[in-house]
Amino acid sequence: MVKEVLLPDLGEGIEGADVSEVVVSVGDTVAKDDTLLVLESDKASMEIPADEAGVIKEILVSSGDSLETGALLMKVETKPFTDSAV
């Protein structure tokens, strides 16, 4: 299943941020909580983690892009849970 990764709410008073670094590439395998990209705002630098493990299928942002909450960042192919103890 392909999951869209959206920019989460960055906190009170932060409307958006600039992409300072995209840490992953298309085809990379990521684990839950691995850093996907780094953002810079007027108030802070923050890392955006993966919500789920999977393979990066498409990256829709690049360094220097200005983003707002809810922006589509990338698409990750995740595998549905299967019970292998059958």
Side-chain angles (χ1 to χ4, degrees):
M1 173 170 62
V2 175
K3 179 178 180 181
E4 293 182 338
V5 179
L6 304 176
L7 182 64
D9 182 0
L10 301 173
E12 188 174 331
I14 302 176
E15 299 296 320
D18 296 331
V19 177
S20 62
E21 180 183 6
V22 178
V23 180
V24 296
S25 300
V26 172
D28 286 356
T29 299
V30 295
K32 182 178 179 0
D33 296 328
D34 281 357
T35 299
L36 300 175
L37 53 97
V38 180
L39 300 177
E40 297 280 339
S41 74
D42 293 339
K43 299 184 179 193
S45 172
M46 61 213 85
E47 296 178 348
I48 304 301
D51 289 338
E52 296 181 46
V55 177
I56 305 298
K57 287 300 185 187
E58 186 176 4
I59 299 173
L60 301 162
V61 297
S62 57
S63 294
D65 288 354
S66 294
L67 307 174
E68 293 184 3
T69 300
L72 179 59
L73 304 175
M74 58 189 67
K75 295 180 181 180
V76 179
E77 184 173 353
T78 61
K79 293 184 179 180
F81 175 75
T82 57
D83 186 5
S84 60
V86 175

